[in-house]
Amino acid sequence: MAKLVDKVLGFMGFEEEEVEIIEDEELVQEEESSFKKKKNGPIFSLHTQKQTKVVVCVPKVFEDCQYIADHLKNRRPVIINLEDADKELAKRVVDFISGTTYALSGNMQKVGNGIFLFVPSNMDIAGEINKEQDKEKGLFTWIR
Protein backbone atom coordinates (compact mmCIF):
# COMPACT_ATOMS: atom_id res chain seq x y z
CA MET A 1 0.00 0.00 0.00
CA ALA A 2 2.86 2.37 0.79
CA LYS A 3 4.35 1.84 -2.67
CA LEU A 4 1.05 2.80 -4.30
CA VAL A 5 0.85 6.00 -2.25
CA ASP A 6 4.47 6.82 -3.06
CA LYS A 7 3.80 6.31 -6.78
CA VAL A 8 0.71 8.54 -6.68
CA LEU A 9 2.56 11.25 -4.75
CA GLY A 10 5.51 10.92 -7.14
CA PHE A 11 3.19 11.22 -10.14
CA MET A 12 1.59 14.36 -8.67
CA GLY A 13 5.00 15.84 -7.95
CA PHE A 14 4.85 15.81 -4.15
CA GLU A 15 7.60 13.29 -3.58
CA GLU A 16 11.17 14.48 -3.33
CA GLU A 17 13.60 13.01 -5.79
CA GLU A 18 17.17 12.27 -4.98
CA VAL A 19 19.69 14.25 -7.01
CA GLU A 20 22.90 12.56 -8.07
CA ILE A 21 26.04 14.62 -7.87
CA ILE A 22 28.47 13.82 -10.67
CA GLU A 23 32.02 14.27 -9.60
CA ASP A 24 33.67 12.85 -12.65
CA GLU A 25 34.89 15.80 -14.77
CA GLU A 26 34.96 13.76 -17.99
CA LEU A 27 31.23 13.04 -17.75
CA VAL A 28 30.50 16.70 -17.13
CA GLN A 29 32.58 17.74 -20.16
CA GLU A 30 30.85 15.14 -22.37
CA GLU A 31 27.42 16.40 -21.33
CA GLU A 32 28.43 20.03 -22.00
CA SER A 33 29.83 19.16 -25.44
CA SER A 34 26.66 17.25 -26.33
CA PHE A 35 24.60 20.37 -25.53
CA LYS A 36 26.86 22.55 -27.66
CA LYS A 37 26.63 20.18 -30.66
CA LYS A 38 22.84 20.49 -30.89
CA LYS A 39 21.79 23.02 -33.47
CA ASN A 40 19.02 25.46 -32.83
CA GLY A 41 15.97 25.21 -35.04
CA PRO A 42 15.18 27.87 -37.60
CA ILE A 43 14.06 31.22 -36.23
CA PHE A 44 10.91 32.73 -37.68
CA SER A 45 9.79 36.27 -37.25
CA LEU A 46 6.32 36.69 -35.83
CA HIS A 47 5.90 39.86 -37.85
CA THR A 48 5.73 38.30 -41.28
CA GLN A 49 3.44 40.90 -42.78
CA LYS A 50 5.08 42.24 -45.89
CA GLN A 51 5.10 45.96 -46.47
CA THR A 52 2.80 46.85 -49.36
CA LYS A 53 3.63 49.59 -51.83
CA VAL A 54 0.88 51.58 -53.51
CA VAL A 55 1.56 52.49 -57.13
CA VAL A 56 0.40 55.94 -58.26
CA CYS A 57 -0.04 56.34 -62.03
CA VAL A 58 -0.89 59.29 -64.25
CA PRO A 59 -1.50 57.68 -67.67
CA LYS A 60 -0.85 59.94 -70.64
CA VAL A 61 -1.63 57.38 -73.38
CA PHE A 62 -3.77 54.26 -73.50
CA GLU A 63 -0.69 52.02 -73.71
CA ASP A 64 0.05 52.88 -70.05
CA CYS A 65 -2.84 50.55 -69.14
CA GLN A 66 -0.63 47.51 -69.67
CA TYR A 67 1.83 48.83 -67.08
CA ILE A 68 -1.04 49.43 -64.62
CA ALA A 69 -2.54 45.98 -65.24
CA ASP A 70 0.85 44.35 -64.58
CA HIS A 71 0.93 45.96 -61.13
CA LEU A 72 -2.53 44.61 -60.35
CA LYS A 73 -1.50 41.14 -61.55
CA ASN A 74 1.46 41.35 -59.16
CA ARG A 75 -0.99 42.12 -56.30
CA ARG A 76 -0.07 45.79 -55.86
CA PRO A 77 -2.77 48.40 -55.28
CA VAL A 78 -2.88 51.19 -57.87
CA ILE A 79 -4.12 54.76 -57.66
CA ILE A 80 -4.86 56.28 -61.06
CA ASN A 81 -4.99 60.05 -61.40
CA LEU A 82 -7.00 61.06 -64.46
CA GLU A 83 -7.72 64.67 -63.49
CA ASP A 84 -5.70 66.13 -66.35
CA ALA A 85 -6.54 63.44 -68.94
CA ASP A 86 -9.01 64.08 -71.74
CA LYS A 87 -12.43 62.47 -71.29
CA GLU A 88 -12.01 59.83 -74.00
CA LEU A 89 -8.66 58.59 -72.62
CA ALA A 90 -10.01 58.61 -69.06
CA LYS A 91 -13.03 56.56 -70.07
CA ARG A 92 -10.91 53.98 -71.93
CA VAL A 93 -8.40 53.68 -69.05
CA VAL A 94 -11.14 53.23 -66.43
CA ASP A 95 -12.91 50.66 -68.62
CA PHE A 96 -9.75 48.65 -69.26
CA ILE A 97 -8.48 48.68 -65.67
CA SER A 98 -11.97 47.97 -64.34
CA GLY A 99 -12.09 44.87 -66.53
CA THR A 100 -8.63 43.83 -65.38
CA THR A 101 -9.63 44.31 -61.76
CA TYR A 102 -12.82 42.30 -62.27
CA ALA A 103 -10.91 39.47 -63.93
CA LEU A 104 -8.51 39.37 -60.97
CA SER A 105 -11.43 39.47 -58.46
CA GLY A 106 -10.27 42.83 -57.16
CA ASN A 107 -12.12 45.97 -56.14
CA MET A 108 -12.38 49.54 -57.36
CA GLN A 109 -13.25 52.75 -55.53
CA LYS A 110 -13.52 56.29 -56.80
CA VAL A 111 -11.51 58.42 -54.40
CA GLY A 112 -12.00 61.87 -55.87
CA ASN A 113 -12.70 63.74 -59.07
CA GLY A 114 -10.79 61.71 -61.65
CA ILE A 115 -8.89 59.68 -59.02
CA PHE A 116 -9.52 55.93 -58.70
CA LEU A 117 -8.20 53.23 -56.39
CA PHE A 118 -7.88 49.69 -57.77
CA VAL A 119 -6.89 46.87 -55.42
CA PRO A 120 -6.20 43.18 -56.10
CA SER A 121 -8.16 40.35 -54.49
CA ASN A 122 -5.87 40.10 -51.46
CA MET A 123 -6.96 43.57 -50.25
CA ASP A 124 -10.22 45.21 -49.28
CA ILE A 125 -11.27 48.83 -49.45
CA ALA A 126 -12.82 50.12 -46.23
CA GLY A 127 -15.28 53.00 -46.39
CA GLU A 128 -17.01 54.61 -49.31
CA ILE A 129 -17.52 58.12 -50.56
CA ASN A 130 -21.14 59.18 -50.51
CA LYS A 131 -22.14 58.67 -54.15
CA GLU A 132 -25.31 60.76 -53.88
CA GLN A 133 -23.26 63.82 -52.91
CA ASP A 134 -20.83 63.13 -55.75
CA LYS A 135 -23.66 62.92 -58.29
CA GLU A 136 -24.95 66.29 -57.11
CA LYS A 137 -21.50 67.78 -57.64
CA GLY A 138 -21.22 66.17 -61.08
CA LEU A 139 -18.21 63.94 -60.29
CA PHE A 140 -19.61 60.86 -62.05
CA THR A 141 -20.86 62.58 -65.17
CA TRP A 142 -17.63 62.47 -67.18
CA ILE A 143 -17.06 58.68 -67.05
CA ARG A 144 -20.51 57.59 -68.28
Side-chain angles (χ1 to χ4, degrees), residues 69-84:
D70 289 340
H71 284 296
L72 287 170
K73 284 173 38 179
N74 291 325
R75 298 188 166 275
R76 290 186 206 109
V78 178
I79 295 177
I80 300 176
N81 184 348
L82 297 168
E83 288 179 316
D84 296 332

Side-chain angles (χ1 to χ4, degrees), residues 66-121:
Q66 181 69 40
Y67 172 76
I68 297 167
D70 289 340
H71 284 296
L72 287 170
K73 284 173 38 179
N74 291 325
R75 298 188 166 275
R76 290 186 206 109
V78 178
I79 295 177
I80 300 176
N81 184 348
L82 297 168
E83 288 179 316
D84 296 332
D86 65 329
K87 290 182 182 182
E88 185 62 33
L89 174 64
K91 183 177 180 354
R92 290 182 69 198
V93 168
V94 169
D95 287 346
F96 185 85
I97 300 301
S98 294
T100 303
T101 304
Y102 177 78
L104 297 172
S105 300
N107 293 309
M108 170 192 154
Q109 176 71 45
K110 183 171 183 177
V111 179
N113 188 17
I115 301 174
F116 297 88
L117 171 63
F118 295 90
V119 295
S121 61

